[in-house]
Amino acid sequence: MARVSRKEFHDLATPNEAHDSIASLELGGRTETVSLAASRGRVLAERIDAHLDVPGFDRASMDGYAVQARDTFGADEANPAVLSLVGEVHAGTEPAVSVGEGECVEISTGAVMPPGADAVVMVERTDERDGEIAFRTAVAPGDSVMLAGADIAAGERALGPGTRITPREIGLLSALGIDEVPVRAKPRVGIVSTGDELVRPGESLNSAAGQIFDVNSTTIAAGVEDAGGEAVLYPHAGDDYDEMERLLTKAASECDLVLSSGSTSASAVDVIYRVIDDQGELVLHGVAVKPGKPMLIGRLEHSAYIGLPGYPVSALTIFQAFVAPAIRAAAGLPEPAAATVSGKMAVRERYAEGRMRLMPVGLVENGAGDLLVYPVDKGSGATTSLVEADGVVEVHPDTSFLDMGEAVSVSLFSPDIVPPTVFGVGEDDPALSRLLDNVTRPRYLSMGSREGLRRLRNGIADVAVTSMGGEPEFDAVSLGSWTREWGLVVPAGNPNEVTGLADLVDRDLRFSNRSSASGLRTSLTEALAALAADRGQTRHDLVAAIVGFDHTVKAHESPARKVATGSADVGLGLRVTAEKLELGFVSLGTETVNVYGNPDRVEKPGVRALSEAIAAADDVFAALSGYDRP
């Protein structure tokens, strides 16, 4: 089987050289409209919840080989693990091969993980040996894999009422498939998004084939408008050379600047750099900056050309840092006023990669009104980072770490950004989503009970939401609580006649679990311990007998949706979720959801508003099956 040839970047340009190259391009402008950015500047009238998992499939986060991690245990430079190469999978294609013991499959960044594989080894740590692949490093399950729903999971709160839509919010709406976009501005900027895996918002999505909604086209179009340009959105281009050439030539004949996103990495399936070489001049390929290393700068016959990275966060970050200033200059517009703020690092952040880093960060005020800065890093492929980050901190290549309390300068994504009135982290909960609707400009990250308590203890979050039980082992103020009924979600009618946890242990039923960071997982662990004690066994014995116990998913609806699609027979979940999805439910009890606040920040307006909303939440709890006061 022929292997995919790969091109590596050498002699990366410095950021200053990239700025100079863009400045040498001639930009002008005209007028036209495209689809989705009309929502830019609008204000949401109601909350928007995610109605699907993003991504909708487990995908590789780098080029390399999909493997069963256990086959690489113990591998190193001196003693590599040698596996049989049995196939390949590229982004936008449904795997036609599976990975068995002793086997591996070549995989491209963004491609669907083939059945049987649980990790990816980067191609740089491998060697080919007569049709076999030698692995010079060991990996653990989940390494270099972005799980389905890891970005945002169905049922999560995406955007709240009163939110002003900026390019960041438009990126998230695109990922959710919401279809709207009028644009205006000068100069005229053509936008071409590439990749066979992309589908326009509003069209049918086939997650099983690795398809994702096209985020970059609409996100960057909104950025062009913010910078004073007119965005022209062109049809989606696949990874076919002739189609790419046709679209770029058309865009170049109608626009002053052509922007593309994607198809700039070293993978052989990417062809755009060859089109630019053939149809114009490729001035620069690769910049020593993170994110955004595979940036392209060049000229086509009738226009300037800039190629942006494919991942949404990388694309928007590089656009803001390099492209937007050039568009504003060509349009005769000044740089935005008050686009930079100063703050102090809320945590210590390590960095030692030898190239300039544009680090996405969020802002939060402490009780004294001082501005704290914390890193936002779900990975470049996570569209929710677009709305969780407020700007970027430029980290010099020689920097090894930023210390907690160190002063930093934040370049805001837009000049009107202000910190949230309340910043919460913790459990994913339907009642909480409704309570946050009563708070102006909240920010909430559903990262699980454990992470909520950790960030509250470390002084990053204003509030933590947990259902793990027990009092925090640090100073915290209770802002209120409620109970929710939890148990096992089963198909409608309960065809397997599941009655409790014993059925999971004693029968061959496929189970979908929550992560260990979740309070629901803690409730399950405690219930299994009680069952084990009754049986005279250990909890470990029971866990080992449950099929799929270690197969964890992100949010409170995720296991139930696995049951709804037939991917699991039983899922860990809430009664309210089962009724929402018209599934069956086997109750295992109730757990208490507690909201704790940082003692130094309880007088912040947003914290007070949330506390008042909890106190007046009887109607909210009454509307949610299984919810009540403690």
Side-chain angles (χ1 to χ4, degrees):
M1 178 182 58
R3 295 189 64 238
V4 174
S5 62
R6 302 185 185 278
K7 177 179 178 179
E8 297 185 11
F9 303 122
H10 299 286
D11 301 323
L12 298 177
T14 67
N16 285 339
E17 289 171 338
H19 280 296
D20 290 343
S21 295
I22 292 175
S24 71
L25 305 176
E26 294 183 4
L27 306 182
R30 296 159 222 214
T31 305
E32 211 175 39
T33 31
V34 292
S35 38
L36 187 72
S39 58
R40 187 184 69 87
R42 301 286 184 89
V43 176
L44 285 178
E46 60 184 25
R47 186 185 73 256
I48 296 178
D49 292 337
H51 59 279
L52 76 170
D53 286 338
V54 178
F57 56 94
D58 295 348
R59 70 184 183 189
S61 60
M62 62 173 57
D63 292 340
Y65 295 92
V67 299
Q68 293 188 1
R70 63 176 178 269
D71 285 339
T72 70
F73 292 171
D76 56 25
E77 294 284 347
N79 185 31
V82 179
L83 305 178
S84 298
L85 181 63
V86 297
E88 60 185 16
V89 183
H90 294 300
T93 62
E94 188 169 354
V97 63
S98 60
V99 176
E101 183 177 354
E103 298 176 341
C104 65
V105 167
E106 186 173 5
I107 194 165
S108 299
T109 301
V112 179
M113 289 289 290
D118 60 5
V120 172
V121 181
M122 67 171 62
V123 68
E124 291 83 355
R125 301 306 303 274
T126 67
D127 298 300
E128 182 185 7
R129 296 181 179 178
D130 299 325
E132 295 182 319
I133 304 300
F135 293 84
R136 294 180 275 107
T137 188
V139 293
D143 281 359
S144 300
V145 178
M146 189 175 192
L147 297 177
D151 184 354
I152 185 170
E156 279 194 83
R157 176 188 173 93
L159 296 171
T163 301
R164 180 179 179 273
I165 301 298
T166 73
R168 301 171 300 136
E169 283 77 19
I170 288 175
L172 179 54
L173 293 174
S174 298
L176 297 175
I178 297 172
D179 183 24
E180 293 180 9
V181 181
V183 248
R184 54 160 182 78
K186 296 179 183 179
R188 190 175 175 90
V189 181
I191 299 168
V192 178
S193 193
T194 65
D196 289 329
E197 74 277 17
L198 298 180
V199 173
R200 281 287 169 80
E203 296 178 0
S204 178
L205 187 74
N206 183 3
S207 294
Q211 292 181 343
I212 58 175
F213 283 117
D214 178 5
V215 174
N216 287 350
S217 291
T218 49
T219 305
I220 299 304
V224 168
E225 282 195 349
D226 266 356
E230 179 187 3
V232 182
L233 194 62
Y234 285 85
H236 156 251
D239 290 322
D240 176 74
Y241 181 93
D242 292 337
E243 177 66 4
M244 184 81 72
E245 181 181 51
R246 184 189 71 80
L247 280 173
L248 289 180
T249 301
K250 176 177 173 60
S253 68
E254 298 173 347
C255 301
D256 305 292
L257 169 65
V258 177
L259 296 178
S260 72
S261 61
S263 291
T264 56
S265 76
S267 172
V269 298
D270 295 334
V271 300
I272 199 166
Y273 69 90
R274 292 193 285 118
V275 175
I276 302 302
D277 259 343
D278 292 345
Q279 300 299 318
E281 177 188 7
L282 187 59
V283 177
L284 181 151
H285 187 183
V287 181
V289 62
K290 177 183 179 180
K293 171 183 170 183
M295 181 181 176
L296 301 176
I297 300 174
R299 297 180 180 87
L300 293 166
E301 184 176 357
H302 301 290
S303 77
Y305 167 78
I306 298 176
L308 300 173
Y311 279 145
V313 176
S314 298
L316 184 60
T317 301
I318 293 302
F319 174 85
Q320 297 283 12
F322 292 93
V323 185
I327 294 176
R328 283 191 288 266
L333 299 175
E335 287 295 301
T340 302
V341 296
S342 297
K344 294 182 179 179
M345 289 294 295
V347 294
R348 180 184 175 96
E349 176 74 0
R350 294 184 179 275
Y351 181 71
E353 293 198 16
R355 51 189 171 120
M356 186 177 77
R357 180 185 181 189
L358 300 177
M359 180 175 67
V361 297
L363 306 177
V364 64
E365 289 181 342
N366 62 18
D370 299 323
L371 194 63
L372 302 181
V373 178
Y374 61 91
V376 174
D377 188 10
K378 283 188 173 181
S380 295
T383 53
T384 44
S385 295
L386 293 171
V387 294
E388 291 172 11
D390 296 308
V392 298
V393 170
E394 185 176 302
V395 184
H396 191 273
D398 296 333
T399 301
S400 57
F401 66 88
L402 295 172
D403 209 354
M404 184 172 66
E406 183 173 345
V408 292
S409 178
V410 181
S411 297
L412 300 177
F413 282 128
S414 61
D416 57 351
I417 285 178
V418 293
T421 60
V422 59
F423 177 36
V425 182
E427 196 71 12
D428 179 21
D429 183 79
L432 178 68
S433 289
R434 288 156 176 78
L435 295 174
L436 287 172
D437 289 348
N438 298 300
V439 181
T440 302
R441 294 196 339 270
R443 175 174 293 157
Y444 187 77
L445 308 183
S446 56
M447 304 177 74
S449 294
R450 294 184 188 277
E451 184 65 15
L453 292 172
R454 188 183 75 83
R455 293 204 179 196
L456 184 66
R457 181 186 65 240
N458 292 346
I460 299 176
D462 297 325
V463 300
V465 181
T466 173
S467 63
M468 293 177 61
E471 297 288 331
E473 298 178 354
F474 54 89
D475 289 339
V477 176
S478 176
L479 302 179
S481 61
W482 57 88
T483 62
R484 60 184 189 179
E485 190 175 5
W486 72 280
L488 304 179
V489 180
V490 296
N494 195 2
N496 292 314
E497 299 182 349
V498 175
T499 60
L501 289 178
D503 291 302
L504 292 180
V505 177
D506 299 331
R507 299 167 59 189
D508 190 20
L509 298 172
R510 298 168 300 163
F511 182 57
S512 181
N513 204 356
R514 292 292 308 282
S515 73
S516 58
S518 162
L520 272 177
R521 174 69 170 266
T522 300
S523 295
L524 174 64
T525 299
E526 293 172 350
L528 284 171
L531 178 61
D534 290 342
R535 292 184 165 202
Q537 297 177 279
T538 67
R539 181 174 60 84
H540 177 75
D541 293 333
L542 270 59
V543 167
I546 298 176
V547 178
F549 185 88
D550 293 327
H551 179 71
T552 61
V553 289
K554 185 188 177 189
H556 75 274
E557 281 194 8
S558 300
R561 289 182 176 268
K562 293 285 187 182
V563 173
T565 60
S567 301
D569 300 312
V570 183
L572 179 63
L574 305 174
R575 176 177 289 279
V576 67
T577 302
E579 293 191 3
K580 173 184 174 181
L581 300 179
E582 299 181 344
L583 298 170
F585 183 73
V586 179
S587 179
L588 295 178
T590 61
E591 62 178 16
T592 301
V593 178
N594 290 290
V595 183
Y596 294 106
N598 184 321
D600 297 328
R601 304 185 195 176
V602 292
E603 294 305 315
K604 288 182 63 172
V607 178
R608 288 203 312 269
L610 178 58
S611 180
E612 292 168 359
I614 296 172
D618 288 342
D619 290 346
V620 172
F621 301 144
L624 296 173
S625 182
Y627 275 72
D628 205 348
R629 295 285 186 181

